[in-house]
Amino acid sequence: MKLSKVVDSIVYVPLETKIYLTNGLLQYVKPYWCAFPGRLFDAKGKYVKQIGKLGGGPGEDTSPWGYMVTYDEKRGLFYTQGNKIIQYDKNGKLQEQKRRYNIQAEA
């Protein structure tokens, strides 16, 4: 299959970062490029801010599995979804979180 059947354009955006992005998980969340876990860059690749981080505490996510970021421009809120749904304000401050999966091992 030709790539032109799937996409109409490709954009190369070099990201301004000193951090090696090992997992390659990158998505466009208008108006930001977002690299896991929550490193935000503007349309030209300039680093803007961090929302969330890896870990097991409040506002932290443990895995890139199923990870995605959405941004509600009207309300100025970010949401990350991985093993939790986490809400941050426009400055990246934790607002709320809910466990996405409630899986418990049987004894």
Side-chain angles (χ1 to χ4, degrees):
M1 174 187 289
K2 291 185 176 186
L3 188 57
S4 61
K5 298 279 185 187
V6 183
V7 298
D8 58 7
S9 65
I10 296 176
V11 177
Y12 172 75
V13 180
L15 301 179
E16 174 192 87
T17 181
K18 294 179 181 170
I19 298 167
Y20 181 65
L21 305 173
T22 57
N23 64 17
L25 185 60
L26 181 70
Q27 69 181 99
Y28 186 67
V29 182
K30 187 180 177 185
Y32 302 104
W33 286 101
C34 180
F36 178 79
R39 292 180 191 96
L40 300 179
F41 301 86
D42 68 13
K44 295 186 183 215
K46 183 172 171 57
Y47 178 79
V48 177
K49 64 182 136 205
Q50 172 83 32
I51 57 168
K53 60 183 177 177
L54 283 177
E60 299 175 341
D61 223 322
T62 58
S63 170
W65 183 255
Y67 184 84
M68 78 176 208
V69 176
T70 55
Y71 180 56
D72 183 339
E73 285 184 281
K74 248 184 184 177
R75 295 173 47 197
L77 297 173
F78 289 95
Y79 298 91
T80 63
Q81 298 177 35
N83 64 341
K84 303 173 189 174
I85 299 174
I86 307 172
Q87 177 181 304
Y88 303 91
D89 68 12
K90 65 181 178 181
N91 298 311
K93 184 178 176 192
L94 174 65
Q95 298 295 302
E96 179 182 0
Q97 74 178 28
K98 294 181 182 178
R99 186 151 303 280
R100 189 169 178 195
Y101 304 108
N102 190 12
I103 300 171
Q104 297 177 350
E106 291 183 29

